[in-house]
Amino acid sequence: MSYLEAVRLALGTIWVQKLKSFFTLLGVTIGVTFLIAVVSIVGGMSRYMQEELVGKIIAVNAFELRHRPNINLGDVSEETWREYRRRRRIKVEDVAPVVEALPAGVRWAQLSENNVRVESRYAKPRVILAFGVTEGYFDIKRIDVAAGRLMAPQEYAHGTPVVVIGKDVREHFFPGLDPLGRELRIAGIPYTVIGVAESQGSAFGVSFDRFLVAPHNAPLYRLLNVHGVIDAVMVQGESQIAMLEAMERVRQVMRQRHRLRPSQPDDFVLETSDSALEFWNKIKSYMVLAGIALPAIGLVVGAIVIMNIMLVAVAERTREIGIRKSLGARRRDILRQFVVESATLSTIGAAIGVGIGLLLAQVIAATTPLPAAVEPWSVFVGVAVGAGVGILAGVYPAKRASLLDPIAAMRQE
């Protein structure tokens, strides 16, 4: 008997015994459904963290030289915080040696940031995240303007009091008004709004549009940092390889400037999106394991049910097995028939589970704050696991069927 013929017979048997087949494949269906749903949620969370959270803070193929990490997703011990506070700050005088060491074609910008109190004649004062940057910042962050323009090179050089604002700042300080050419006051100094940045979206309910950007040499700098200190040097390579090369060069320069011995660890960080997501990736691996282990319980139950049902089927079809053997069916034909029937049954259950799992993931993404993105590998794993469960569960009943004596089987009522 060919495998195709065995599958055809299996489908015929399943169709004849619809209700029993449904309850048989239910365990596999539930197990695969939760496998697809859980892995989809974990995958969606991972993409959300990479693209919507960390991806908005650290640009593609970029890293930031800082005295301590800017993004802390896990618990940081008090001892670690004390070590961070003891570190030397990144200074303006560090920028030139770092830039000189960078490979050709690499972009860079220096950055200072802090929350400042902003006023306008059209709204109540509000605390806003302010950035003081040098030329290159908007190119690295891939931020363009929805209205107006970005700062000109002369404005960067002379520290002209001009700002580019985010969408939320525009809506609060200039309700129903065109903000271009109007003033915002920071520490009593008027800053002219020259541009409104494109919306940067939000993550976990936190908006990325509540900001303003000014030239680093503008008077705003004294509110962001003490004199001569900056928060970061942003560096972006044309590719991942260029970024890694730039990182090593910057590391060597900073270790020399901080007079660190070879045995001493870095007292600064070169923060990339991967390093910022290191803690999340650890959690993700545990969640994926849990997402596979928990549905496995349902699959084990499904395997037990399939095995019991197949044993019952062998008992009910003893006379059929005897007739087939008397007509020349070999042991491997009988074995193949029942294994294929069991595998077909569980594969159908797995396929139904995949479909329900995909639907459940979409429902979760549409009705809850949890993002969900179907991982293609989970679909193949779900179907393969379902087929594997059926094969393993069907081996013992099939073996019993193949060992039946044809004469005794034919006498069975």
Side-chain angles (χ1 to χ4, degrees):
M1 179 191 295
S2 66
Y3 281 105
L4 186 61
E5 179 67 13
V7 171
R8 189 188 67 78
L9 288 174
L11 290 174
T13 303
I14 292 170
W15 180 253
V16 170
Q17 301 175 340
K18 301 181 187 66
L19 186 61
K20 186 171 73 173
S21 299
F22 169 75
F23 285 109
T24 302
L25 57 82
L26 192 59
V28 175
T29 300
I30 293 174
V32 173
T33 295
F34 281 100
L35 171 66
I36 298 295
V38 172
V39 172
S40 297
I41 292 173
V42 174
M45 286 289 292
S46 181
R47 293 185 187 181
Y48 191 78
M49 295 289 288
Q50 291 174 348
E51 299 171 8
E52 300 299 324
L53 181 59
V54 176
K56 293 289 181 65
I57 300 174
I58 301 179
V60 177
N61 293 331
F63 67 90
E64 297 181 0
L65 167 64
R66 291 179 175 268
H67 80 288
R68 65 177 179 83
N70 186 42
I71 304 173
N72 294 285
L73 297 178
D75 293 331
V76 180
S77 66
E78 181 62 31
E79 181 181 352
T80 301
W81 279 116
R82 286 196 296 268
E83 194 273 328
Y84 287 160
R85 287 192 289 268
R86 290 194 299 267
R87 288 184 176 184
R88 296 171 58 178
R89 297 293 300 273
I90 307 300
K91 298 183 178 180
V92 173
E93 63 192 40
D94 294 323
V95 176
V98 165
V99 172
E100 289 175 4
L102 294 176
V106 173
R107 296 171 176 168
W108 68 274
Q110 68 185 57
L111 167 73
S112 290
E113 58 188 315
N114 208 341
N115 292 308
V116 298
R117 190 172 186 270
V118 180
E119 302 174 346
S120 85
R121 66 179 64 181
Y122 310 105
K124 294 180 179 180
R126 175 173 285 186
V127 175
I128 301 296
L129 179 61
F131 298 96
V133 304
T134 57
E135 193 172 357
Y137 172 81
F138 289 100
D139 290 333
I140 293 174
K141 299 288 285 185
R142 295 184 181 178
I143 297 176
D144 204 350
V145 289
R149 64 177 177 84
L150 300 175
M151 275 84 80
Q154 297 84 356
E155 291 169 326
Y156 283 112
H158 296 104
T160 308
V162 294
V163 291
V164 173
I165 61 176
K167 180 174 68 71
D168 291 354
V169 177
R170 172 185 182 171
E171 292 174 355
H172 175 77
F173 288 105
F174 305 101
L177 299 171
D178 181 2
L180 300 180
R182 300 182 188 271
E183 289 184 352
L184 287 175
R185 300 187 73 86
I186 306 172
I189 299 176
Y191 286 76
T192 303
V193 177
I194 62 170
V196 179
E198 293 178 337
S199 177
Q200 302 301 298
S202 62
F204 298 110
V206 178
S207 175
F208 291 122
D209 292 314
R210 191 173 176 176
F211 69 91
L212 61 85
V213 183
H216 199 276
N217 292 335
L220 175 66
Y221 171 69
R222 61 186 175 85
L223 301 178
L224 306 180
N225 262 318
V226 298
H227 181 69
V229 172
I230 62 175
D231 287 308
V233 178
M234 305 169 58
V235 179
Q236 184 180 50
E238 297 177 344
S239 64
Q240 183 80 2
I241 295 175
M243 182 196 76
L244 294 175
E245 181 184 354
M247 286 179 67
E248 286 308 310
R249 293 191 182 189
V250 171
R251 175 176 281 110
Q252 292 174 13
V253 169
M254 292 305 299
R255 287 186 66 85
Q256 290 174 1
R257 292 188 62 79
H258 288 188
R259 296 183 175 86
L260 297 176
R261 294 188 298 272
S263 60
Q264 290 180 293
D266 295 342
D267 59 354
F268 54 88
V269 295
L270 302 176
E271 189 171 37
T272 66
S273 57
D274 289 339
S275 63
L277 286 168
E278 184 177 354
F279 179 76
W280 163 251
N281 289 331
K282 290 180 181 178
I283 296 178
K284 177 187 173 183
S285 62
Y286 293 130
M287 293 178 69
V288 170
L289 288 175
I292 294 174
L294 294 178
I297 298 173
L299 294 173
V300 169
V301 173
I304 295 172
V305 172
I306 291 174
M307 183 181 293
N308 287 332
I309 293 297
M310 293 307 296
L311 286 171
V312 172
V314 170
E316 291 177 345
R317 294 157 64 186
T318 301
R319 186 174 179 83
E320 173 194 332
I321 295 168
I323 293 173
R324 292 197 56 189
K325 279 196 166 187
S326 66
L327 293 175
R330 295 163 295 182
R331 285 180 55 185
R332 64 169 175 267
D333 294 326
I334 303 298
L335 183 68
R336 180 183 302 166
Q337 177 187 352
F338 282 91
V339 169
V340 169
E341 186 173 322
S342 174
T344 302
L345 191 64
S346 62
T347 301
I348 292 173
I352 295 173
V354 167
I356 297 175
L358 297 178
L359 179 62
L360 183 59
Q362 297 302 315
V363 171
I364 291 172
T367 60
T368 72
L370 291 174
V374 176
E375 299 287 345
W377 65 265
S378 66
V379 175
F380 294 107
V381 168
V383 174
V385 167
V389 165
I391 292 172
L392 293 175
V395 167
Y396 177 65
K399 188 176 181 180
R400 286 194 58 178
S402 67
L403 294 174
L404 287 175
D405 180 78
I407 297 176
M410 290 180 66
R411 289 175 180 170
Q412 185 74 30
E413 294 294 333

